[in-house]
Amino acid sequence: MVAALGFATIACFLALAFSRRVSVLVALILVPVAFAIVGGWAPDLGEMVGDGLLKVAPVAIMIAFAVLYFSLMVDVGLFDPAIRRIVRWAGGNPTKIAVGTAVLTLLVALDGDGTSTFLITISALLPIYQKLGMRPVVLTGIVCLAAGLMNMIPWGGPTVRAMAALDLTSADIFTPVLPAMGAGILWVLFAAYMIGRTERKRLGVTELASPGGGGPGTPHVSDAPVRTGRQRAVMAFNTVLTLVLIVILLFQLVPLEVAFAIAFALALAVNRPKWDDQQALFAKHGGNVTMVVAMILAAGVLTGILNGTGMITAMAQTFVSWIPQSAGSLIPVITAVTSMPLSLVFTPDAYYFGVVPVLAETTASFGGDPAEIGRAAILGQMTTGFPLSPLTAATFILIGLSKVDLGKHQRFIFGWAFGTTIVMTVVALLTGAISL
């Protein structure tokens, strides 16, 4: 009964998200509340929702300051030099822009944190897409593919959880799938090229205006503006502050919400010292902050109720019971192939700490290697799937910053993301990382 209510909750939410009958924010809150009431958990709703909100609160706080920080950096032109170089290199060619998006995301995602990856890449690349008239969903899709793949690194969420759940090391889980990850990188670049080629057919190659010229609607790439001594000093400060912030993100030196709060306060004081200018910044970007933070808090309601009612645990147990005894030797392959779609249903904690240990134990009972389950799981679950999942806050950061509808984003890139998992699974089979 509990598992059935859980699956019904997720199915109803996904159906509403895909159909766009109601906003995602409304569905995130009202759907789980309704099913919790149906299941008889009404008296405990307050505690469950409160727990869910508390868990996502640090992320919401961090995002509020992070969005404001990078919005300020975009406003003051911190990314303009990079934008000019990329646009000049691409020559107005959407194919090159798409491939460049994948390469940049692969590099930025080395920090292992999807949130910071989305904040940096979307802030830097969205202006280019707007200049060329490329669809924002192309940006979210390619960033989704590249960031999802790089989430496999040992300090990324999925691999860390797999190692903890199975009491294994990165040598057991990550090292054997390195060839598969390499194949996944090639696939992502190929996907970006194909998606970019489609955009090129739609838009053509835009002739960029030379400095000082260009007709209406033509992207204009100007030379670097002439700045005063103070403006150069402020820009140098912004560059150093952003680099320091990225180092903090990479090495997790302090909690991210603390880092972004302090960084934004410093940046605001230096770049917008006047009260009126500060108020103008809040008025300009306050809407984006409100929407993204509200989405994250709404996701906390969903996950809080799913965890508090036990729906997540019951769904995990039911899923395991579906595997027949005769398919024991196929469990690693089944895990690899299904892990990506299941990221739309299970939170990473529920999957890695609820499903994976049971699958590993089942595999061991058939004489298999439990580590293969950990490797299979990271080929899709919360790697290629996490930037599509409505159960992860980072997804709403990605689509919120780009102003792309969740259902549209999922429909656009799901096939390519699932293809990434299939390619990596095939290579993992060929290299022995998982076996039949």
Side-chain angles (χ1 to χ4, degrees), residues 169-239:
T169 67
S170 61
D172 301 315
I173 299 292
F174 177 71
T175 303
V177 300
L178 270 173
M181 185 177 181
I185 290 174
L186 294 177
W187 170 262
V188 168
L189 295 175
F190 169 74
Y193 171 79
M194 296 300 294
I195 294 171
R197 194 171 71 165
T198 300
E199 284 294 277
R200 177 176 175 173
K201 290 179 179 178
R202 186 177 70 88
L203 298 170
V205 176
T206 303
E207 291 295 333
L208 297 178
S210 59
T218 303
H220 176 72
V221 183
S222 63
D223 289 331
V226 177
R227 292 190 173 99
T228 65
R230 183 187 184 281
Q231 289 173 329
R232 288 195 296 270
V234 169
M235 194 56 63
F237 171 83
N238 291 336
T239 302

Side-chain angles (χ1 to χ4, degrees), residues 363-390:
T363 295
S365 69
F366 284 97
D369 183 1
E372 290 191 16
I373 296 300
R375 298 168 199 154
I378 67 172
L379 293 176
Q381 173 67 18
M382 303 315 296
T383 52
T384 54
F386 98 89
L388 284 165
S389 174

